[in-house]
Amino acid sequence: MYGTEPSDIMSAAADDECRIELVPRRNTNGLQPHPNECDYVLVGNTKWKKQQQTFIEALREKGFSVTEIEESDKCFYGIRAPDSMLDTYQYLMNDEIIFERTRIRVTDFVLNKTIDSKKERLTDLLRKNVFETAFPLHQKTQQDHLTEKWARWTALHKFQPIDLVKNYLGEKAALYFLWLGWYTYMLIPAAMVGIVVFLYGLAFFDKSPLIKEVCEANTTIMCPLCDTHCSFWKLSDTCMYAKVTNLFDNEGTVFFAIFMALWATIFLELWKRHRAREACHWKLYNWDKEEEDLVLEIVNNPQVMPEKYQHSYVSSVIVMFLVSVMIVIFIGLSLGLVVFRVFATVMLSESEWKLLKENANTVAVMLGAVVHYLTITIMTKVNREVAIFLCKIERNPFFEDKECSFTVKMFTFQFFTLFSSLFYVAFFLGRINGHPKEYVKIAQQWRLEECHPSGCMTDLFIQMAIIMILKQTLSNIVEFLSPWVKMKVNSIKYRSAKKKTDGEIDNWLRNYYLNNVSYFSLFNEFLEMVIQYSFTTIFVAAFPLAPFLALINNIFEIRLDAIKMTRLERRLVPLKTNNIGIWLQVLEGIGVLAVICNGLVIGITSDFIPRLVYKYRFGPCAYSNATDINCMVGYVENSLSTVNLEHLDPKHLQNNSNFVNLTYCRYRDYRSEEDFTLTAQFWEVFAARFAFVLLFEHVAVVIKFIAAWFVPDIPKQVKNIDLNHKFANLKKRLCMMPHRTTSL
């Protein structure tokens, strides 16, 4: 369902490659190819035909065969690479067979490197609309074959035919689906453990003494949560929230956080082995991207001189400065969300609707999460343009270096866009807002927001749940419906255009009216999944159901992407590679960050440590061996501080109509009633939090390193196959050695 097919099916897929993709070796140099034999199609408006012909002539000078057909106001150019060019590539790369995907890749490279007599490249002409678009052609037979086996919703339960995907969409796309399938498969145990942790909390939904204490605290009056229009309230009003919080803030959370740290390591280590086996199966284990680029450069121009690696400290400083500016902007947006939630809380507390007024803080957090999601949507487009601009400053000569640089920058920008607000909620919310006698205020007027009355984990849980659900559901709906609707509209145009043609370029028209793709298409899919992986691991302690939601999403995501790439969009250029590139280092970095963040969430955001300190230092069992009493009885009362009303702002007393003869109220903190200084218990809790974070992270990191050491990156079988291959090549060269007299 999620990984590759069994070996016998994979072997059949390999046979399909030879049967379907082998290109007849006939000389087409200088001849006009049949439309169905073209590797690439260029399309432009006839009003730019003169400029188009300048570029076409440059292609003909390189030996390309061109079929030119005019339809209405469009001019179609079918391009086929000369066999001599493919022969050169085949010889230099020592490839036994030139497949269709190889022809397309070579043609695409040469097209983008060709410069016409006016010193313009294809990218320049596309930007000026001289050419409207350029694309390789879908092959109907192979497209239908892949649709039947893979690219349809009814294939959800089937294994992915990765070899067929590789043969048609190229190794790079195949590795994306291979990784996504492996990630989805590995989410199954993580999702199951997360559900168990959730059910563990559910089992004590009504039995926990902490919940009972909150729900029966009818006489515990809490201080107002804002300066105006917020009244005093009973702690028992948060009974339901306390029950919900206990679902994910319990002892099982600590175990789950350590489990996910181990899971992330094992997932990546097993992926490395899985990738190595597949690369060996594709005979790409020792494939060299740099060598491939040099061969393509020679194929394009035998007189070419290789571009040199360059480094400019000035460019690096400029890029670092601009990246820092962007990060400051992201932090500013995060603070803007804080201000929004403060204003939303004030406005909602003034509402005439009782439900909104009583739950102003919770609703403000939800609205903040929705606004955060909208900010993510807008900033994604801004981040892309900024990342492209920064890559242009660096001027990397090789495409792979440009791609790595762009990936790191784009992921960094997206990460700060997505997680800066979550970091504030997790580690700063409710800790910098002061105390009743001296609250921290925005513009000396509006109090900073506090944690939810049932604990700071509730706020983090709400943020995580809303953003993750919105991002996965809405994004997938838009991701599928947008190209689907465009395809349906374009299919009407296609049928209309088809009636006006003689059928010779029917396949060209069918491809032309599909949705456009670019080099970013596959990158976007990877980025989406790596961001999801970040949500699944970094704050998983606050949301144990994250792996389960990711699993459900990915089951559909695989087929959604398959349908898009095979049926709704033009054909991707089949790029060659033997790994997922810089994304592996990004995933490893996320794994390390996940250990740190989950340790901090449990140690700082959760009430896990304060409960332990109370249980063993201040609770009823601290200095006795009593067995007839729960050791956590009295914890809620102990975690609240007291303030006399005379210390409060007079505005608060105006909202005291519901409570007669009230002289004090309670708030969450460990402070003295007289001078609001931090109590000794606060410092004990602080020391315990600090010790726990250090212990947790060291234990988790040690476990990660042991797991990484225990699971080798490359299977011995793959190493042995590679060793035999090298030995066979050496023996072959030895046999070809001149004047060889010694018998082998």
Side-chain angles (χ1 to χ4, degrees):
M1 186 187 303
Y2 314 115
T4 55
E5 292 186 337
S7 57
D8 56 333
I9 301 180
M10 291 171 65
S11 300
D15 293 339
D16 285 342
E17 176 177 1
C18 298
R19 177 173 57 83
I20 294 175
E21 292 199 341
L22 186 59
V23 177
R25 303 296 290 160
R26 67 185 193 85
N27 185 16
T28 59
N29 296 354
L31 301 178
Q32 181 171 306
H34 187 274
N36 290 336
E37 295 179 338
C38 293
D39 305 314
Y40 229 89
V41 173
L42 305 180
V43 184
N45 196 291
T46 52
K47 69 179 181 179
W48 299 104
K49 188 170 182 179
K50 186 176 180 180
Q51 291 91 325
Q52 293 164 8
Q53 288 295 331
T54 304
F55 185 77
I56 295 301
E57 285 304 314
L59 292 178
R60 286 195 172 107
E61 289 176 3
K62 291 186 174 183
F64 277 84
S65 305
V66 181
T67 298
E68 180 182 336
I69 300 176
E70 286 191 27
E71 287 293 338
S72 300
D73 61 341
K74 303 292 182 185
C75 198
F76 292 80
Y77 300 92
I79 310 296
R80 181 177 174 85
D83 288 344
S84 59
M85 191 174 284
L86 276 299
D87 290 338
T88 303
Y89 176 88
Q90 183 180 23
Y91 176 77
L92 293 176
M93 291 299 297
N94 197 27
D95 282 353
E96 297 179 1
I97 301 175
I98 292 293
F99 296 109
E100 181 200 23
R101 65 178 185 276
T102 310
R103 294 190 62 95
I104 293 174
R105 185 170 65 253
V106 173
T107 303
D108 176 77
F109 183 90
V110 177
L111 277 176
N112 284 283
K113 286 287 184 177
T114 298
I115 301 176
D116 63 19
S117 59
K118 295 182 179 179
K119 306 300 180 183
E120 290 185 311
R121 297 175 184 266
L122 179 59
T123 51
D124 301 320
L125 299 174
L126 287 169
R127 187 171 58 250
K128 294 179 179 179
N129 290 324
V130 173
F131 286 109
E132 179 187 332
T133 186
F135 53 87
L137 291 169
H138 278 295
Q139 299 302 320
K140 192 70 168 62
T141 303
Q142 300 174 55
Q143 192 180 18
D144 292 343
H145 185 54
L146 205 55
T147 298
E148 180 187 353
K149 281 183 167 289
W150 178 57
R152 54 191 176 90
W153 293 115
T154 52
L156 279 173
H157 63 288
K158 294 184 177 181
F159 285 98
Q160 294 191 86
I162 292 297
D163 275 14
L164 290 179
V165 178
K166 182 260 297 182
N167 296 343
Y168 190 65
L169 297 177
E171 289 83 355
K172 193 166 188 176
L175 274 171
Y176 163 71
F177 284 105
L178 184 72
W179 176 83
L180 181 55
W182 184 253
Y183 170 43
T184 304
Y185 175 75
M186 289 294 291
L187 277 172
I188 295 175
M192 292 176 63
V193 176
I195 292 173
V196 169
V197 171
F198 177 79
L199 293 176
Y200 173 80
L202 192 64
F204 296 95
F205 193 76
D206 291 316
K207 300 177 182 178
S208 171
L210 303 180
I211 294 176
K212 183 178 180 182
E213 194 172 345
V214 171
C215 295
E216 295 178 355
N218 294 312
T219 59
T220 303
I221 309 303
M222 304 295 290
C223 299
L225 295 175
C226 63
D227 286 336
T228 57
H229 303 286
C230 287
S231 61
F232 296 87
W233 51 282
K234 296 178 182 179
L235 181 60
S236 57
D237 293 342
T238 62
C239 177
M240 181 54 65
Y241 291 113
K243 292 180 179 179
V244 173
T245 302
N246 191 67
L247 293 177
F248 50 84
D249 188 6
N250 53 62
E251 294 80 2
T253 305
V254 181
F255 161 76
F256 187 55
I258 296 177
F259 170 82
M260 286 303 294
L262 178 63
W263 174 87
T265 302
I266 293 177
F267 160 65
L268 288 179
E269 294 302 316
L270 292 180
W271 158 250
K272 293 174 187 176
R273 294 172 60 84
H274 193 47
R275 193 254 354 145
R277 277 193 293 265
E278 207 66 30
C280 181
H281 171 65
W282 295 341
K283 299 180 181 179
L284 291 177
Y285 181 71
N286 289 314
W287 175 81
D288 188 346
K289 172 63 177 173
E290 192 173 87
E291 181 184 5
E292 166 99 355
D293 289 341
L294 291 173
V295 168
L296 289 173
E297 289 284 1
I298 294 172
V299 167
N300 175 57
N301 179 12
Q303 310 303 321
V304 72
M305 293 299 293
E307 295 187 71
K308 306 297 183 182
Y309 286 103
Q310 299 176 358
H311 178 73
S312 170
Y313 287 103
V314 174
S315 298
S316 298
V317 170
I318 293 173
V319 169
M320 288 178 63
F321 173 75
L322 293 177
V323 168
S324 301
V325 170
M326 287 297 294
I327 291 174
V328 170
I329 292 173
F330 298 138
I331 295 173
L333 289 174
S334 178
L335 295 177
L337 287 172
V338 173
V339 175
F340 170 81
R341 286 195 295 264
V342 170
F343 277 103
T345 302
V346 173
M347 298 299 294
L348 290 168
S349 63
E350 297 175 0
S351 173
E352 296 180 357
W353 293 356
K354 184 178 179 182
L355 182 63
L356 287 179
K357 189 173 183 178
E358 292 179 350
N359 299 278
N361 192 41
T362 304
V363 176
V365 172
M366 292 181 177
L367 288 175
V370 174
V371 172
H372 187 197
Y373 173 76
L374 296 176
T375 303
I376 292 168
T377 304
I378 296 171
M379 287 304 297
T380 297
K381 298 180 180 179
V382 175
N383 294 342
R384 183 184 302 280
E385 296 302 319
V386 174
I388 291 173
F389 173 74
L390 294 178
C391 289
K392 289 180 180 178
I393 294 176
E394 292 177 327
R395 296 182 179 178
N396 289 313
F398 297 101
F399 175 76
E400 187 175 18
D401 294 332
K402 293 177 182 177
E403 187 178 35
C404 289
S405 178
F406 176 79
T407 299
V408 171
K409 291 176 179 60
M410 187 64 186
F411 175 78
T412 301
F413 293 161
Q414 285 296 92
F415 183 85
F416 275 93
T417 302
L418 285 157
F419 287 92
S420 55
S421 179
L422 291 175
F423 273 95
Y424 169 80
V425 171
F427 307 128
F428 297 98
L429 179 64
R431 293 170 180 83
I432 57 174
N433 59 321
H435 51 79
K437 190 176 181 179
E438 190 177 351
Y439 282 116
V440 176
K441 298 183 179 181
I442 299 175
Q444 302 299 316
Q445 190 171 358
W446 297 284
R447 272 171 54 184
L448 281 181
E449 58 186 337
E450 298 184 31
C451 287
H452 192 277
S454 60
C456 297
M457 285 284 278
T458 303
D459 299 276
L460 184 57
F461 166 76
I462 292 173
Q463 288 271 343
M464 282 280 295
I466 291 179
I467 293 174
M468 193 168 184
I469 292 173
L470 279 178
K471 184 166 179 55
Q472 291 192 161
T473 54
L474 292 184
S475 295
N476 281 350
I477 290 172
V478 172
E479 184 182 350
F480 178 74
L481 284 183
S482 178
W484 184 81
V485 171
K486 289 179 182 177
M487 187 269 293
K488 289 297 182 182
V489 173
N490 288 338
S491 64
I492 298 174
K493 298 179 182 178
Y494 162 64
R495 286 193 292 269
S496 175
K498 184 179 178 181
K499 294 177 182 178
K500 302 176 184 178
T501 65
D502 57 6
E504 191 176 37
I505 61 168
D506 178 52
N507 191 38
W508 291 8
L509 287 172
R510 184 176 64 86
N511 281 265
Y512 171 68
Y513 284 112
L514 292 175
N515 294 292
N516 192 25
V517 294
S518 68
Y519 288 110
F520 290 119
S521 298
L522 198 58
F523 169 85
N524 293 336
E525 304 301 339
F526 251 121
L527 179 62
E528 179 188 355
M529 288 296 99
V530 173
I531 290 294
Q532 185 211 77
Y533 177 81
S534 303
F535 273 106
T536 305
T537 54
I538 290 179
F539 288 116
V540 73
F543 193 29
L545 292 179
F548 175 71
L549 293 180
L551 173 63
I552 298 300
N553 174 82
N554 289 3
I555 292 174
F556 292 93
E557 181 75 29
I558 292 173
R559 304 303 159 177
L560 188 154
D561 291 343
I563 291 170
K564 275 198 319 177
M565 294 183 192
T566 307
R567 293 160 50 187
L568 304 183
E569 296 177 342
R570 294 171 187 162
R571 187 173 182 177
L572 285 170
V573 175
L575 298 178
K576 194 173 186 178
T577 189
N578 62 357
N579 57 58
I580 60 174
I582 194 66
W583 287 117
L584 181 61
Q585 284 73 43
V586 172
L587 292 169
E588 289 176 337
I590 292 171
V592 174
L593 186 61
V595 171
I596 298 171
C597 288
N598 282 304
L600 291 172
V601 165
I602 297 171
I604 296 177
T605 313
S606 169
D607 283 342
F608 175 72
I609 298 301
R611 291 172 189 166
L612 284 182
V613 172
Y614 175 80
K615 181 176 181 179
Y616 294 107
R617 288 283 291 117
F618 300 96
C621 302
Y623 301 104
S624 66
N625 296 322
T627 58
D628 58 343
I629 187 172
N630 192 296
C631 296
M632 294 305 297
V633 170
Y635 167 75
V636 174
E637 176 69 20
N638 177 263
S639 66
L640 301 175
S641 295
T642 303
V643 57
N644 291 319
L645 296 192
E646 60 187 32
H647 293 301
L648 295 182
D649 192 312
K651 296 177 184 178
H652 295 144
L653 303 180
Q654 299 173 4
N655 303 307
N656 194 21
S657 57
N658 295 331
F659 301 97
V660 182
N661 299 325
L662 184 65
T663 59
Y664 65 91
C665 61
R666 312 297 297 276
Y667 63 99
R668 285 176 60 92
D669 209 342
Y670 296 104
R671 291 186 179 272
S672 167
E673 183 176 350
E674 290 77 21
D675 56 3
F676 297 96
T677 56
L678 297 170
T679 63
Q681 186 173 352
F682 169 85
W683 295 110
E684 289 192 36
V685 171
F686 178 83
R689 289 183 190 274
F690 183 74
F692 172 82
V693 171
L694 286 179
L695 180 64
F696 175 88
E697 291 179 1
H698 280 75
V699 170
V701 167
V702 168
I703 291 175
K704 282 175 65 68
F705 278 122
I706 292 175
W709 167 80
F710 187 75
V711 182
D713 293 353
I714 303 172
K716 298 299 182 185
Q717 181 185 7
V718 172
K719 287 187 175 182
N720 289 332
I721 292 174
D722 181 56
L723 186 66
N724 292 335
H725 179 69
K726 290 178 179 177
F727 183 74
N729 284 340
L730 290 173
K731 295 276 286 189
K732 183 178 179 181
R733 290 170 60 186
L734 188 62
C735 290
M736 297 172 64
M737 182 177 176
H739 310 298
R740 180 69 184 172
T741 57
T742 303
S743 174
L744 296 178

